[in-house]
Amino acid sequence: MSSFVNNKSDPTDEQIKIAEIKLSGFLAEHNIAFLAMDHLEPLLKSIFPDSKICQKMRLKRTKATNIIKNIISPVEKESLSSILNKTKFSVMIDESTDIACISTMCIVVRYSGDNKIKTQFWDLLPVYNLENPEEVNAGATAENIFINVIDAFKKHNVNVENIIGFGSDGCSTMMGKNNSVSSRMKEMFPGVFIMKCICHSLHLVCSEACKSLPRRLEDFARNVFNFFSHSSKRQSQFVQFQVFLNLDVHRILHPSQTRWLSLFSVVERLLEQWDALQLFFSEKWLSEKLLSAESIFNQLNDPFTKGFFYFLEWILPKFTMLNQYFQTDQIVLNTLHEKMEISYKDLLMVYMKRDYVLKTPLSELDPTRNDQFLKHSDIYLGVKIMNHILLDSVKRRQDLLTNFYMNCVEFLKVSCVQIKKRYDFSDPILPLLNILTPSVALSDKKRSKYNTINSILCLTQKLPRIVKTDLLQVIDDQWRLMCLVNFSDDITNEKEPDQFWIKIKNLESQQFQELATFALSVMSLPHSNACCERIFSKVNRIKTKSRNKLITKTVSATIMTSEAIKNGSCYNFQPCKKMVDSMTSINLYPTKINDEIEKSDDFILDD
């Protein structure tokens, strides 16, 4: 029988599987059309005729797609599922519509990993089930979204009782008081931490505030851009004026209608090129007698138009810098309340009396109280405004100057009203999170500000989903002990809160194990939805106009695959043993190839 049976396996079989997995990962990481694999495989064989691995590969677009959908992505999700079953985690969701007009919901999880707090993509789901007309007619209701989110975890056997936090934007479907996703989260998971995306809130604050300024400012910025946008001749002519005045040769930027915080770069660019624009439109108006050029010329020579742009150049960074700070992947939740408090007071003291702002609790302070407003002469609007109002052309028009101050104060007042509306300064949890900052946790003096020298109970009791009742005393004892222990310089000099508590947790003595675990769980609570927005940016890079036929399941698997290799790169990506063992026909092709598998992802939309 031994002469008829060959038990020896080809040693290159495993290497071939690894090569096929890595090539598929290469497609996912670089957003390359699966159709390219029909030519890439024969090309590699023609380049490397002496390679046994290359010559034995059988990889076309269908197999590459299935490797991503049925091998890499499921194995990564299974690995992530096992982690989520062992640790507390937060859920963040958001919705968007892709280029094919398909509404999708992104789910991201945040948890404490081995060496840092990790934020990872979980799933991308269609909001409407096109196969079920009843669900389509129901629409994107809070109930449907909530059920889809919970089912997305349950179908992978993730213990949803480990959910400790939920974050989303502030729309009524997500964050409404009675019938929303957050209200259902509170009902199903008592004590869950709910957080509106602070970045969305700041965007809406700036959007509302900009409405209080004269409409002509936005129209002016848009008209200047439109004058150059479709004429290479005008752009070339403008470069000559820039060179003549020794200015940087920069293009005029387009003001977005939806992203108000991007307005700062537009304002900055216009002020940078103001003198060149004045010369250019003076020449255009006199030589060509264009109505559009005349309108822009008049605005450029209006000192109050420039004054408003000086004001925006000074005030907008207060919002953009704060927004950028909260968009980071680093841990900033512990300092969120302090940052918002300082920024709010900074805006208030521009137009309100200092004593009123500093001596009144922020939750009780009224930004619209006229009797506490400063006189126009005492309002500070930046150095450039102070110099600008000294010009004769400005001082002669006291009526317009008064109106200018009124518009600026209205901008500030609306900003403060919107901040107070969208951020709760009386929140019982957020102010206490700063005690987990390394410098505060190790200092008796800094702890005293929060009355937590001898106990951390004020925080642990407010987060019941993170701390079990039987561990309250253990964590409190460890908190009291921390100030008495002399830690190594490596720990005391650590500034990042997650790294600090990971080092405390990994101490050989393990005497602060429960306290560190609690702190790291708190660090995994959400503060913004920037991670979801990044996923949607990736969706837009994957599902382009020429690849709009990709189904949501394929896009989700592609993102999961690219996330699996993002820490390194495709050439360093090493498929695990489970991926290699899964490379069988049963796993690759669980069902017959039908319409679910795209015949081609190079499908062009009709104009």
Side-chain angles (χ1 to χ4, degrees), residues 229 332 444 447 473:
S229 60
V332 295
D444 275 343
R447 281 186 182 187
Q473 186 61 60

Side-chain angles (χ1 to χ4, degrees), residues 68-114:
I68 290 172
K69 289 170 62 175
N70 302 327
I71 304 297
I72 304 177
S73 177
V75 170
E76 284 298 316
K77 186 160 285 190
E78 185 179 343
S79 174
L80 182 55
S81 299
S82 63
I83 294 173
L84 297 182
N85 276 323
K86 300 175 184 176
T87 186
K88 305 290 186 181
F89 65 94
S90 296
V91 178
M92 290 160 282
I93 66 173
D94 204 355
E95 294 178 56
S96 184
T97 304
D98 60 31
I99 194 171
C101 203
I102 295 176
S103 184
T104 53
M105 176 174 62
C106 170
I107 304 176
V108 174
V109 294
R110 188 176 177 88
Y111 63 94
S112 173
D114 295 331

